[in-house]
């Protein structure tokens, strides 16, 4: 574990972007994996850090297993579909439950940020656990984040919880880059009718109410879920599918948002 709490950017990493949510199970890990692959498809260098210590999903969703090797002082990340990966799941492959206190979680995340040889990356996406706990706090206090993306489902209760997460990041002075609404609707493969299973418009409503851009709306899709279980991101599994196109657009929207954010000149207040 890192013996002292270092702060400052990760050398070589241009943009560290956290993927967060208030509620669990809204699709953060699915979004992180598929966004990472869609960003990499544009030619960007991408890394993906699984900061969900209690429930790491990235090894399964990327279909990558193995033990990262240490080289000198640093740990070498694994790689899948050209994306550099680190997850506690690689280090505890036997699926044993992690029973750790908060400071140990914080230590693991600091180690993943500081002691992994990330190399030169345009984007390091960080898949967070749900809520507003140790992982979020440690991340925000360890490296400067370009920003955070908040994932939510469309119903009202999700919106209330998403706004709490958003409030936490604002309090921590982390820029909220945008909201992604997941499980927005379901198109029946037989009759092609669209059903709004979890209500509709929560993402747009939240975006307007909280003054944050809506980066995209992702429908429920069986192939996306199957791809997650099999370790086949949608751009690999079905590159010509409408879902792959949705993710390409989402990656474009996020990259553009990051570009604009990076150009933003800090407003110098006179007093
Ligand atoms: N748009 C979607 N269509 C179909 N299934 C989806 C979609 N998004 C996510 N899922 C499925 O929902 C489940 C939960 O998704 P995921 O693990 O990505 O959520 P999470 O927010 O990371 O959860 P946790 O809070 O536990 O980390 C997974 O089985 C995933 O495959
Ligand atoms: Mg997850």
């Amino acid at each position: 574990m890192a013996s002292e709490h270092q702060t400052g950017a990760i050398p070589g990493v241009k943009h560290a972007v956290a993927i967060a949510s208030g509620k669990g199970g809204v699709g953060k890990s699915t979004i992180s994996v598929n966004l990472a692959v869609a960003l990499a498809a544009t030619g960007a260098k991408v890394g993906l850090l699984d900061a969900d210590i209690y429930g790491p999903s990235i090894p399964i969703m990327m279909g990558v297993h193995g033990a990262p090797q240490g080289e000198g002082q640093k740990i070498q990340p694994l790689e899948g579909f050209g994306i550099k990966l680190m997850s506690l799941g690689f280090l505890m492959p036997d699926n044993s439950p992690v029973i750790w206190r908060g400071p140990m979680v914080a230590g693991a995340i600091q180690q993943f940020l500081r002691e992994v040889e990330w190399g030169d990356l345009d984007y390091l996406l960080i898949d967070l656990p749900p809520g507003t706990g140790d992982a979020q706090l440690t991340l925000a206090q360890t490296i400067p984040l370009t920003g955070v993306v908040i994932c939510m489902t469309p119903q009202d209760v999700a919106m209330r919880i998403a706004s709490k997460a958003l409030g936490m990041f604002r309090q921590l002075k982390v820029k909220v880059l945008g909201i992604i609404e997941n499980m927005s609707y379901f198109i029946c493969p037989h009759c092609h009718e669209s059903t709004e299973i979890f209500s509709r418009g929560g993402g747009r409503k939240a975006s307007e109410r909280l003054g944050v851009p809506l980066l995209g709306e992702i429908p429920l899709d069986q192939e996306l879920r199957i791809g997650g279980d099999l370790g086949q991101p949608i751009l690999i599994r079905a590159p010509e599918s409408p879902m792959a196109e949705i993710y390409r657009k989402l990656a474009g929207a996020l990259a553009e948002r990051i570009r604009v954010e990076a150009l933003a000149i800090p407003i110098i207040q006179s007093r």
Side-chain angles (χ1 to χ4, degrees), residues 21 23-31 52 55 57 61 127-130 182-183 218-222 224-226 228-229 243:
S21 76
K23 247 160 70 72
V26 301
K28 288 174 299 300
S29 302
T30 305
I31 288 171
D52 194 340
S57 309
M61 289 188 177
D127 177 23
L128 282 165
N182 191 25
M183 311 188 186
I218 307 169
L220 273 162
D221 179 71
Q222 196 180 20
L224 192 66
R225 198 273 303 154
I226 294 172
D229 287 344
M243 184 56 82

Side-chain angles (χ1 to χ4, degrees), residues 78-96:
L78 297 184
E79 215 172 295
F81 311 111
I83 294 156
K84 292 192 176 164
L85 304 169
M86 183 49 67
S87 168
L88 193 73
F90 298 142
L91 303 168
M92 300 201 160
D94 61 351
N95 240 344
S96 51

Side-chain angles (χ1 to χ4, degrees), residues 45-248:
K45 292 196 198 99
V46 184
L48 177 55
L49 168 59
D50 190 348
D52 194 340
I53 300 298
Y54 296 114
S57 309
I58 298 305
I60 290 178
M61 289 188 177
M62 288 295 281
V64 173
H65 305 279
Q69 303 299 310
E71 210 166 88
Q73 293 278 304
K74 294 238 170 175
I75 308 165
Q76 293 301 310
L78 297 184
E79 215 172 295
F81 311 111
I83 294 156
K84 292 192 176 164
L85 304 169
M86 183 49 67
S87 168
L88 193 73
F90 298 142
L91 303 168
M92 300 201 160
D94 61 351
N95 240 344
S96 51
V98 172
I99 309 169
W100 284 2
R101 293 190 189 278
M104 292 171 75
V105 170
I109 290 174
Q110 283 163 21
Q111 195 173 9
F112 285 161
L113 294 168
R114 292 277 163 237
E115 293 172 35
V116 169
E117 186 66 70
W118 288 109
D120 288 334
L121 293 180
D122 295 302
Y123 306 104
L124 175 63
L125 300 188
I126 301 151
D127 177 23
L128 282 165
T132 53
D134 291 310
Q136 289 74 4
L137 203 57
T138 304
L139 179 64
Q141 292 176 342
T142 302
I143 57 165
L145 293 163
T146 300
V148 59
V149 173
I150 307 281
C151 307
M152 59 176 286
T153 46
Q155 66 274 48
D156 273 356
V157 61
M159 184 168 78
R160 282 202 294 275
I161 300 169
S163 34
K164 270 195 211 166
L166 196 140
M168 178 202 193
F169 284 105
R170 280 191 171 155
Q171 233 172 309
L172 293 168
K173 307 266 184 292
V174 175
K175 183 86 198 171
V176 180
L177 294 169
I179 290 172
I180 296 176
E181 185 188 277
N182 191 25
M183 311 188 186
S184 299
Y185 53 93
F186 173 70
I187 296 179
C188 171
H190 308 292
C191 72
H192 305 291
E193 197 179 284
S194 171
T195 308
E196 286 146 3
I197 293 174
F198 295 119
S199 171
R200 83 162 292 167
R204 180 151 308 280
K205 234 195 274 174
S207 131
E208 285 163 6
R209 225 178 261 179
L210 303 165
V212 172
L214 179 66
L215 297 173
E217 294 166 311
I218 307 169
L220 273 162
D221 179 71
Q222 196 180 20
E223 283 300 307
L224 192 66
R225 198 273 303 154
I226 294 172
D229 287 344
L230 296 178
Q232 297 169 352
I234 202 73
L235 263 75
I236 308 293
R237 183 177 173 83
E240 306 302 330
S241 63
M243 184 56 82
E245 191 49 31
I246 287 174
Y247 266 103
R248 277 189 282 266

